[in-house]
Amino acid sequence: MGTKTYAAIALALCAALPLGATAQERGPVTNLPLPRYVSMKAAEGNARRGPSRTHRIDWIFKRRDTPLEITAEHGHWRRVQDRDGAGGWMHYSLLSGVRTVTVERDMLQMRALPDPEALVVAQLELGVIARIEACAPDWCEIEVGGYDGWVPKTALWGVAAGEILD
């Protein structure tokens, strides 16, 4: 094939995508989307400088259920970071697919329904970790401390802006 043929194929592929659409990067090991969110399965986990046990420990996460963002994969290792950007390479066995979030707004009002006028069922302090039950375009249903309710997605870290979860 000539250069013109390759250019025509590339142009046809670009025209087939909707405006603003980009291919989601996928992990070379799991074929899952990158970046993506997970949580700490273990009560404590070492984040290392590189993807092996011989690399220096840069950070130690000390709280089960902490939400983390996976940004890269290498064998059994995942490069993760928390809401402050701290992290490193962690063994996949320390991580869980259970989705959790960190509350990013102090005294966040948890509501009975995904509506700013709905009944307030609880107020959450900054830094509280909650389990995600579901997420709509603008609201997430979360559970924490025996309370279940809806909060604005913009007040949470650990869920992407356009992410919908059932």
PDB file of all heavy atoms in Angstrom, residues 60-76:
ATOM      1  N   ILE A  60       3.641   4.391  52.672  1.00  0.00           N
ATOM      2  CA  ILE A  60       2.888   3.277  53.256  1.00  0.00           C
ATOM      3  C   ILE A  60       1.456   3.753  53.483  1.00  0.00           C
ATOM      4  O   ILE A  60       1.225   4.710  54.229  1.00  0.00           O
ATOM      5  CB  ILE A  60       3.504   2.796  54.585  1.00  0.00           C
ATOM      6  CG1 ILE A  60       4.942   2.335  54.361  1.00  0.00           C
ATOM      7  CG2 ILE A  60       2.657   1.662  55.173  1.00  0.00           C
ATOM      8  CD1 ILE A  60       5.685   1.981  55.638  1.00  0.00           C
ATOM      9  N   PHE A  61       0.514   3.103  52.816  1.00  0.00           N
ATOM     10  CA  PHE A  61      -0.895   3.393  53.041  1.00  0.00           C
ATOM     11  C   PHE A  61      -1.332   2.575  54.239  1.00  0.00           C
ATOM     12  O   PHE A  61      -1.059   1.379  54.315  1.00  0.00           O
ATOM     13  CB  PHE A  61      -1.730   3.035  51.810  1.00  0.00           C
ATOM     14  CG  PHE A  61      -1.500   3.960  50.649  1.00  0.00           C
ATOM     15  CD1 PHE A  61      -0.735   3.569  49.572  1.00  0.00           C
ATOM     16  CD2 PHE A  61      -2.037   5.230  50.642  1.00  0.00           C
ATOM     17  CE1 PHE A  61      -0.519   4.412  48.505  1.00  0.00           C
ATOM     18  CE2 PHE A  61      -1.827   6.090  49.581  1.00  0.00           C
ATOM     19  CZ  PHE A  61      -1.063   5.673  48.509  1.00  0.00           C
ATOM     20  N   LYS A  62      -2.037   3.217  55.185  1.00  0.00           N
ATOM     21  CA  LYS A  62      -2.372   2.558  56.447  1.00  0.00           C
ATOM     22  C   LYS A  62      -3.868   2.511  56.732  1.00  0.00           C
ATOM     23  O   LYS A  62      -4.261   2.488  57.890  1.00  0.00           O
ATOM     24  CB  LYS A  62      -1.658   3.261  57.603  1.00  0.00           C
ATOM     25  CG  LYS A  62      -0.160   3.089  57.555  1.00  0.00           C
ATOM     26  CD  LYS A  62       0.477   3.576  58.826  1.00  0.00           C
ATOM     27  CE  LYS A  62       1.935   3.262  58.838  1.00  0.00           C
ATOM     28  NZ  LYS A  62       2.317   2.356  59.888  1.00  0.00           N
ATOM     29  N   ARG A  63      -4.688   2.522  55.702  1.00  0.00           N
ATOM     30  CA  ARG A  63      -6.126   2.487  55.953  1.00  0.00           C
ATOM     31  C   ARG A  63      -6.837   1.645  54.909  1.00  0.00           C
ATOM     32  O   ARG A  63      -6.802   1.951  53.713  1.00  0.00           O
ATOM     33  CB  ARG A  63      -6.683   3.903  55.948  1.00  0.00           C
ATOM     34  CG  ARG A  63      -8.129   3.940  56.360  1.00  0.00           C
ATOM     35  CD  ARG A  63      -8.591   5.330  56.660  1.00  0.00           C
ATOM     36  NE  ARG A  63      -9.983   5.312  57.038  1.00  0.00           N
ATOM     37  CZ  ARG A  63     -10.729   6.381  57.134  1.00  0.00           C
ATOM     38  NH1 ARG A  63     -10.207   7.572  56.897  1.00  0.00           N
ATOM     39  NH2 ARG A  63     -11.987   6.286  57.472  1.00  0.00           N
ATOM     40  N   ARG A  64      -7.467   0.583  55.379  1.00  0.00           N
ATOM     41  CA  ARG A  64      -8.279  -0.258  54.493  1.00  0.00           C
ATOM     42  C   ARG A  64      -9.371   0.610  53.850  1.00  0.00           C
ATOM     43  O   ARG A  64      -9.860   1.552  54.453  1.00  0.00           O
ATOM     44  CB  ARG A  64      -8.926  -1.374  55.313  1.00  0.00           C
ATOM     45  CG  ARG A  64      -9.688  -2.378  54.499  1.00  0.00           C
ATOM     46  CD  ARG A  64     -10.373  -3.423  55.364  1.00  0.00           C
ATOM     47  NE  ARG A  64      -9.599  -3.875  56.502  1.00  0.00           N
ATOM     48  CZ  ARG A  64      -8.728  -4.881  56.495  1.00  0.00           C
ATOM     49  NH1 ARG A  64      -8.496  -5.536  55.383  1.00  0.00           N
ATOM     50  NH2 ARG A  64      -8.080  -5.221  57.586  1.00  0.00           N
ATOM     51  N   ASP A  65      -9.738   0.307  52.636  1.00  0.00           N
ATOM     52  CA  ASP A  65     -10.787   0.971  51.860  1.00  0.00           C
ATOM     53  C   ASP A  65     -10.381   2.331  51.287  1.00  0.00           C
ATOM     54  O   ASP A  65     -11.195   2.994  50.654  1.00  0.00           O
ATOM     55  CB  ASP A  65     -12.092   1.125  52.657  1.00  0.00           C
ATOM     56  CG  ASP A  65     -12.739  -0.214  52.962  1.00  0.00           C
ATOM     57  OD1 ASP A  65     -12.560  -1.153  52.159  1.00  0.00           O
ATOM     58  OD2 ASP A  65     -13.407  -0.328  54.001  1.00  0.00           O
ATOM     59  N   THR A  66      -9.139   2.778  51.486  1.00  0.00           N
ATOM     60  CA  THR A  66      -8.697   4.044  50.896  1.00  0.00           C
ATOM     61  C   THR A  66      -8.856   3.969  49.379  1.00  0.00           C
ATOM     62  O   THR A  66      -8.357   3.030  48.753  1.00  0.00           O
ATOM     63  CB  THR A  66      -7.221   4.325  51.234  1.00  0.00           C
ATOM     64  OG1 THR A  66      -7.094   4.440  52.644  1.00  0.00           O
ATOM     65  CG2 THR A  66      -6.720   5.589  50.574  1.00  0.00           C
ATOM     66  N   PRO A  67      -9.541   4.933  48.763  1.00  0.00           N
ATOM     67  CA  PRO A  67      -9.631   4.914  47.304  1.00  0.00           C
ATOM     68  C   PRO A  67      -8.292   5.302  46.681  1.00  0.00           C
ATOM     69  O   PRO A  67      -7.605   6.202  47.170  1.00  0.00           O
ATOM     70  CB  PRO A  67     -10.707   5.964  46.998  1.00  0.00           C
ATOM     71  CG  PRO A  67     -10.761   6.844  48.178  1.00  0.00           C
ATOM     72  CD  PRO A  67     -10.304   6.040  49.354  1.00  0.00           C
ATOM     73  N   LEU A  68      -7.935   4.596  45.619  1.00  0.00           N
ATOM     74  CA  LEU A  68      -6.683   4.848  44.904  1.00  0.00           C
ATOM     75  C   LEU A  68      -6.961   4.844  43.408  1.00  0.00           C
ATOM     76  O   LEU A  68      -7.876   4.156  42.939  1.00  0.00           O
ATOM     77  CB  LEU A  68      -5.652   3.769  45.234  1.00  0.00           C
ATOM     78  CG  LEU A  68      -5.226   3.653  46.694  1.00  0.00           C
ATOM     79  CD1 LEU A  68      -4.435   2.372  46.923  1.00  0.00           C
ATOM     80  CD2 LEU A  68      -4.414   4.871  47.107  1.00  0.00           C
ATOM     81  N   GLU A  69      -6.148   5.581  42.677  1.00  0.00           N
ATOM     82  CA  GLU A  69      -6.267   5.623  41.223  1.00  0.00           C
ATOM     83  C   GLU A  69      -5.102   4.841  40.622  1.00  0.00           C
ATOM     84  O   GLU A  69      -3.941   5.117  40.922  1.00  0.00           O
ATOM     85  CB  GLU A  69      -6.236   7.064  40.738  1.00  0.00           C
ATOM     86  CG  GLU A  69      -6.405   7.200  39.243  1.00  0.00           C
ATOM     87  CD  GLU A  69      -6.385   8.633  38.784  1.00  0.00           C
ATOM     88  OE1 GLU A  69      -5.668   9.458  39.394  1.00  0.00           O
ATOM     89  OE2 GLU A  69      -7.095   8.935  37.816  1.00  0.00           O
ATOM     90  N   ILE A  70      -5.413   3.858  39.790  1.00  0.00           N
ATOM     91  CA  ILE A  70      -4.379   3.108  39.073  1.00  0.00           C
ATOM     92  C   ILE A  70      -4.052   3.870  37.799  1.00  0.00           C
ATOM     93  O   ILE A  70      -4.942   4.181  37.007  1.00  0.00           O
ATOM     94  CB  ILE A  70      -4.844   1.678  38.732  1.00  0.00           C
ATOM     95  CG1 ILE A  70      -5.032   0.859  40.004  1.00  0.00           C
ATOM     96  CG2 ILE A  70      -3.853   1.000  37.786  1.00  0.00           C
ATOM     97  CD1 ILE A  70      -5.513  -0.554  39.761  1.00  0.00           C
ATOM     98  N   THR A  71      -2.752   4.147  37.599  1.00  0.00           N
ATOM     99  CA  THR A  71      -2.325   4.894  36.415  1.00  0.00           C
ATOM    100  C   THR A  71      -1.448   4.063  35.480  1.00  0.00           C
ATOM    101  O   THR A  71      -1.205   4.483  34.350  1.00  0.00           O
ATOM    102  CB  THR A  71      -1.569   6.166  36.824  1.00  0.00           C
ATOM    103  OG1 THR A  71      -0.435   5.804  37.619  1.00  0.00           O
ATOM    104  CG2 THR A  71      -2.474   7.107  37.621  1.00  0.00           C
ATOM    105  N   ALA A  72      -0.954   2.905  35.943  1.00  0.00           N
ATOM    106  CA  ALA A  72      -0.120   2.045  35.099  1.00  0.00           C
ATOM    107  C   ALA A  72      -0.108   0.633  35.650  1.00  0.00           C
ATOM    108  O   ALA A  72      -0.441   0.406  36.819  1.00  0.00           O
ATOM    109  CB  ALA A  72       1.309   2.589  35.035  1.00  0.00           C
ATOM    110  N   GLU A  73       0.276  -0.320  34.793  1.00  0.00           N
ATOM    111  CA  GLU A  73       0.356  -1.732  35.162  1.00  0.00           C
ATOM    112  C   GLU A  73       1.683  -2.306  34.671  1.00  0.00           C
ATOM    113  O   GLU A  73       2.176  -1.920  33.612  1.00  0.00           O
ATOM    114  CB  GLU A  73      -0.754  -2.540  34.488  1.00  0.00           C
ATOM    115  CG  GLU A  73      -2.146  -2.094  34.790  1.00  0.00           C
ATOM    116  CD  GLU A  73      -3.184  -2.911  34.025  1.00  0.00           C
ATOM    117  OE1 GLU A  73      -2.831  -3.638  33.075  1.00  0.00           O
ATOM    118  OE2 GLU A  73      -4.359  -2.818  34.399  1.00  0.00           O
ATOM    119  N   HIS A  74       2.233  -3.229  35.452  1.00  0.00           N
ATOM    120  CA  HIS A  74       3.423  -3.974  35.031  1.00  0.00           C
ATOM    121  C   HIS A  74       3.402  -5.307  35.769  1.00  0.00           C
ATOM    122  O   HIS A  74       3.605  -5.347  36.987  1.00  0.00           O
ATOM    123  CB  HIS A  74       4.704  -3.199  35.359  1.00  0.00           C
ATOM    124  CG  HIS A  74       5.947  -3.904  34.927  1.00  0.00           C
ATOM    125  ND1 HIS A  74       6.389  -3.887  33.627  1.00  0.00           N
ATOM    126  CD2 HIS A  74       6.817  -4.677  35.616  1.00  0.00           C
ATOM    127  CE1 HIS A  74       7.502  -4.601  33.545  1.00  0.00           C
ATOM    128  NE2 HIS A  74       7.777  -5.101  34.736  1.00  0.00           N
ATOM    129  N   GLY A  75       3.127  -6.390  35.066  1.00  0.00           N
ATOM    130  CA  GLY A  75       3.033  -7.695  35.704  1.00  0.00           C
ATOM    131  C   GLY A  75       2.002  -7.691  36.821  1.00  0.00           C
ATOM    132  O   GLY A  75       0.861  -7.303  36.615  1.00  0.00           O
ATOM    133  N   HIS A  76       2.418  -8.101  38.018  1.00  0.00           N
ATOM    134  CA  HIS A  76       1.513  -8.128  39.177  1.00  0.00           C
ATOM    135  C   HIS A  76       1.499  -6.803  39.928  1.00  0.00           C
ATOM    136  O   HIS A  76       0.974  -6.737  41.045  1.00  0.00           O
ATOM    137  CB  HIS A  76       1.927  -9.246  40.146  1.00  0.00           C
ATOM    138  CG  HIS A  76       1.718 -10.616  39.589  1.00  0.00           C
ATOM    139  ND1 HIS A  76       0.503 -11.087  39.195  1.00  0.00           N
ATOM    140  CD2 HIS A  76       2.604 -11.622  39.353  1.00  0.00           C
ATOM    141  CE1 HIS A  76       0.624 -12.320  38.744  1.00  0.00           C
ATOM    142  NE2 HIS A  76       1.894 -12.665  38.821  1.00  0.00           N
TER     143      HIS A  76
END
